[in-house]
Amino acid sequence: MLRIDKVTKEFPQSSGGRKRVLEDISLKIEDNEFVCILGKSGCGKSTLLNLLAGYTVPDYGALYLDRNMIHGPSADRGIVFQEYALYPWYTVLQNVAFGPSVRKDPNAEEIAMKYIKMIGLEKYKDYYPDSLSGGMRQRAMIAIALACKPEILIADEPTTALDVTIQAQILDLMNQLKKETGTSILFITHDLGVVAEVCDDVAVMYCGRVVERGDVKTIFANPSHPYTKGLLGSIPRLGDAGKELKSIPGNVPNPKYMPKGCKFEPRCPYASEKCREEEPGFFQIEEGHISRCWLCESGQLKTDHVEKAGD
């Protein structure tokens, strides 16, 4: 369905030179698959979204949807942004019908109502955005993205500003839509709870690179990259009241001054001289599970490191 093939993106700097934001990103998303891209702020998630939406182009590599190279924005990709991109002077129905009407579809309102009913907002079809709650507006955004019948739905942290109850409703809705419409979903998030709740596969990003990829059960049960382990280890757990929360030491490096070798090396407790000098490629841990870490060299994860990293 969607293929990202060795994509690299750089931006010019006012002080001169170029900052590399994405480095050699490769991903595949199959039909009717729910994939999450997981990473903290600054890892390149939003830049990747803009590339997938067609708002900018990669410096190297290419992106394909159903074997066709992506060139510019298109209705074949439905985008749900973090912030509500609703026309305030349009009702819910008018907002959702806008895309089909631009395409000169004579049944624009009928199509819009189909998706408004699917997201449970039919009672609010004549409401304006400022009369809706945050969760309702986010559901309206999903309906807008679906109204042009995209082949893939790309959602950029759509639950970030919502309370946990509304988050759960939105996630349930997206899973329901995947089952009913067969649409593939790419979900960009920094929330590990969201990842565990909804997705099939996970790609973990750090410093503009995918550092680990696998199905969600494998990633949570057997994380192999020290960064993934650090993320999972920092989640507060019931019963840990009074205990110090774990964290990953150090800071994300400045893109202008990236380490020579592994980009996580300055923060990794298991870094060796090889990590400092050479950037690792991907190693296969098991079928469908890969990691960009020298600990996984030759496809074998060193058990002593796994146990320590999971402490």
Side-chain angles (χ1 to χ4, degrees):
M1 172 56 70
L2 178 71
R3 180 162 59 93
I4 304 169
D5 190 10
K6 298 182 178 180
V7 162
T8 295
K9 182 65 180 174
E10 299 176 339
F11 292 104
Q13 300 298 291
S14 57
S15 57
R18 297 177 68 83
K19 178 173 74 173
R20 182 161 289 187
V21 180
L22 294 176
E23 171 79 28
D24 196 28
I25 300 289
S26 292
L27 285 172
K28 287 183 181 179
I29 299 173
E30 305 294 345
D31 288 339
N32 200 31
E33 189 175 30
F34 200 135
V35 173
C36 283
I37 294 180
L38 172 67
K40 296 299 183 181
S41 297
C43 75
K45 302 190 304 294
S46 294
T47 300
L48 182 60
L49 171 75
N50 287 328
L51 289 168
L52 290 167
Y55 299 149
T56 185
V57 296
D59 293 297
Y60 308 99
L63 302 101
Y64 299 89
L65 184 63
D66 197 19
R67 300 178 185 171
N68 298 313
M69 190 178 292
I70 292 175
H71 291 293
S74 173
D76 56 15
R77 281 154 281 139
I79 312 293
V80 182
F81 295 99
Q82 291 184 44
E83 300 179 359
Y84 314 120
L86 298 170
Y87 290 120
W89 54 86
Y90 281 174
T91 64
V92 170
L93 177 59
Q94 290 169 329
N95 266 287
V96 179
F98 183 77
S101 64
V102 167
R103 300 174 68 186
K104 309 296 183 184
D105 195 313
N107 302 312
E109 287 201 359
E110 183 180 332
I111 293 169
M113 278 307 302
K114 171 185 175 181
Y115 292 103
I116 288 171
K117 289 178 181 178
M118 192 178 290
I119 61 167
L121 287 183
E122 60 268 33
K123 293 181 181 179
Y124 304 91
K125 67 182 180 64
D126 295 321
Y127 281 51
Y128 290 90
D130 61 0
S131 300
L132 304 175
S133 67
M136 289 176 177
R137 290 196 291 268
Q138 195 60 270
R139 280 189 273 169
M141 285 288 298
I142 294 171
I144 289 169
L146 290 170
C148 290
K149 302 176 183 178
E151 295 182 52
I152 184 166
L153 183 67
I154 302 169
D156 183 20
E157 305 201 46
T159 61
T160 297
L162 306 177
D163 65 55
V164 291
T165 303
I166 304 302
Q167 279 187 24
Q169 292 176 7
I170 296 297
L171 296 175
D172 287 344
L173 171 63
M174 296 187 81
N175 258 328
Q176 175 190 340
L177 292 173
K178 182 172 78 81
K179 293 175 183 177
E180 291 184 5
T181 66
T183 302
S184 299
I185 299 176
L186 178 62
F187 199 101
I188 299 173
T189 185
H190 66 275
D191 190 330
L192 285 159
V194 168
V195 172
E197 181 74 20
V198 298
C199 72
D200 301 313
D201 265 36
V202 186
V204 182
M205 285 187 67
Y206 184 78
C207 286
R209 294 150 176 80
V210 173
V211 296
E212 186 164 6
R213 171 82 193 263
D215 70 78
V216 64
K217 291 182 180 179
T218 298
I219 293 295
F220 275 75
N222 183 34
S224 64
H225 196 281
Y227 177 62
T228 310
K229 289 178 175 293
L231 289 178
L232 293 172
S234 65
I235 301 175
R237 289 174 171 78
L238 292 174
D240 285 352
K243 294 183 180 180
E244 183 179 354
L245 289 174
K246 295 180 181 179
S247 63
I248 301 173
N251 298 302
V252 177
N254 187 319
K256 289 178 65 177
Y257 307 104
M258 283 290 181
K260 179 181 177 182
C262 174
K263 307 315 172 198
F264 190 63
E265 176 270 322
R267 309 178 69 188
C268 181
Y270 314 111
S272 64
E273 187 62 29
K274 187 172 187 178
C275 302
R276 284 182 275 275
E277 294 298 322
E278 299 178 51
E279 184 165 10
F282 279 113
F283 300 105
Q284 183 168 313
I285 311 304
E286 53 189 298
E287 184 67 30
H289 183 195
I290 56 176
S291 181
R292 189 189 293 269
C293 178
W294 288 119
L295 299 181
C296 313
E297 192 172 7
S298 302
Q300 296 297 317
L301 191 64
K302 296 182 180 179
T303 306
D304 56 337
H305 289 295
V306 176
E307 294 171 350
K308 290 178 182 177
D311 288 344

